[in-house]
Amino acid sequence: MQITLEVDKCIGSGSCEMLAPEVFEVGEDGLAELLDATPGSEMESKCRAAEESCPTQAISVEV
Amino acid sequence: MKEIVVVGASLAGLRICQNLRRANFEGNLTLVGAEKHLPYDRPPLSKTMLSSEQDPGELTLVSDSELAELNLNLILGSPATRLDTAARAVTVGDEKIFYDGLIIATGARARKLLKTDDMDGIHTLRTIEDSLAIRSALHSSSSVVIVGAGFIGSEVAAAARHHGCEVSIIEAGGAPLMRGLGLEVGSACGQLHESHGVNLRVGVQVQDFYGSQTVEEVQLSDGSRIAADLVVVGVGATPNTEWLNDSGLTIDDGVVCDASLNAGIPGVYAAGDVARVPNQWMGGGPLRTEHWTTATEHAALAAKNLLQPADSTPYDSVPFVWSDQYEDRIQIAGDTGGFDEVSFLIGSGDEEAFVVGYRKGEHLAGVMALNSMRPFVQYRRLLMARGQWSQALDLAQEMDG
Ligand SMILES: Cc1cc2nc3c(=O)[nH]c(=O)nc-3n(C[C@H](O)[C@H](O)[C@H](O)COP(=O)(O)OP(=O)(O)OC[C@H]3O[C@@H](n4cnc5c(N)ncnc54)[C@H](O)[C@@H]3O)c2cc1C
Ligand code: SF4
């Protein structure tokens, strides 16, 4: 799975790190960071939930 | 469960369907929407759609391939007109759609002022059509009057300044965003407008509109008149519940739900702007929120609780909302209403960046941050941990140093 994060769209809602903390973290600067850009397929459900919960569509998940 | 019907095909409705399918619901799934568009995103309607020539197609929340995978019975451009909870049926046009499970996600619509339908040039903003109409009017307008300094009014004011229009904001309260943030912080937000050349008039109301066919002047309660060739009214939203009037559900400023989002009848749930739901984190009674993240959180929870009622989870979340005005970003988390104390944790009201804390009892209840993404994340985490006010003060000192 390939996760893309367009960090300039991030508004620091924290939704992604709440739903998939293994993959996303909001860093010191208040913006989301990818901890793992290519997580295994067992993470798909959590990553999809994060993608759908991002208020500015900064996250995309490709399988 | 074999048949699920979701009414309202916007953010909450779409997210409900996505969550149901992800939870392996394989039965028939019907999504009914009054608008003719595929579910689309509203926040850009008052932001990038107005400040640029963004194509509304970019706002669609679902790709064609994903839509095909969701395998929906999608009915667009046709509102549900009645709910019969005894027969478990929703009326759409001449058809009755029967359900085992129902989720109501009909959202809210912009509140209008009396008489505003009689005259051209007076708009509200809730849909793609509204946004396109305002965008086109901004190109040809010189004097814009915004009624109501809430988030939407404030964002439209910023866009109108971007187009070079003269802009006045008429706000009945003592300051912009006062209902949500209090007078002191609202006044600081007012400075954003004034520093961008907006004529901000607080504590006055619009009394009348003058013009032949198109609006020309706005009459205020203090007797003054302001020239206007475009008026945008942003005075809040009303939940879309009329179609539920004889359903037997409790309707009181939205569909009243318990903490699991259940609307009082087994198998019937509500989510998003239409739902009035207690939030465990906030404590207290049911609340109606008009926040993007609340709609998605409700959607996920309503889908889960509908499929597994025996294992219901209550709604429990730190509210979050953001707003982009001019080059500035506002972020708000937690509860910023009904506080015991409000104080600037970082910076002050005259600065271009600050963080305000709201205290309730011994606890930090909410924060509002202007251009302060870095401290905001720390405070959001403190709110999630139900942190003490003293911790909020310590954090401010650490970050100042
Ligand atoms: C201009 C604007 C800017 C915003 N900016 C922000 C922001 O910056 N940050 C933020 O957090 N939130 C923002 N919001 C709020 C956010 O968009 C809403 O919270 C969100 O849209 C709620 O989604 P919903 O699906 O519950 O309701 P809605 O988006 O209101 O959707 C409800 C849908 O149901 C349809 N419907 C109504 N009645 C019926 C019926 N009887 N049958 C079938 N369909 C029906 C409606 O036509 C609509 O399509 C903004 C809203 C607007 C309008
Ligand atoms: S969900 Fe989106 S906006 Fe929120 S922190 Fe993650 S990337 Fe940023």
Side-chain angles (χ1 to χ4, degrees), chain B residues 12-14 29 32 34 88 122 130 160 188 234 254 259 287 297 299 317 336 349 355 361:
Chain B
L14 172 67
L29 182 52
V32 185
R88 296 186 155 243
I122 305 177
D130 296 338
L287 294 166
E297 290 166 356
S317 170
T336 57
V355 178

Side-chain angles (χ1 to χ4, degrees), chain B residues 121 177 179 188 192 239 285 293 309 360 381-382 401:
Chain B
L177 304 172
R179 238 181 342 137
L192 284 183
T293 51
K360 257 193 187 174
R381 292 205 172 111
L382 190 58

Side-chain angles (χ1 to χ4, degrees), chain B residues 10-12 34-35 42 46-47 80 106-108 126 272-273 291-292 322:
Chain B
S10 178
L11 176 63
E35 292 184 84
R42 291 184 209 277
S46 52
K47 302 178 179 71
T106 45
R126 185 81 198 176
D273 282 14
H291 299 167
W292 198 100
W322 85 100

Side-chain angles (χ1 to χ4, degrees), chain B residues 7-13 32-35 42-47 78-81 105-108 125-126 152 155 240 243 271-274 289-293 295 320-323:
Chain B
V7 184
S10 178
L11 176 63
V32 185
E35 292 184 84
R42 291 184 209 277
L45 298 178
S46 52
K47 302 178 179 71
S78 184
T81 50
T106 45
L125 178 49
R126 185 81 198 176
I152 292 177
E155 292 180 356
N240 293 316
W243 69 284
D273 282 14
V274 77
T289 351
E290 293 168 2
H291 299 167
W292 198 100
T293 51
F320 168 83
V321 65
W322 85 100
S323 175

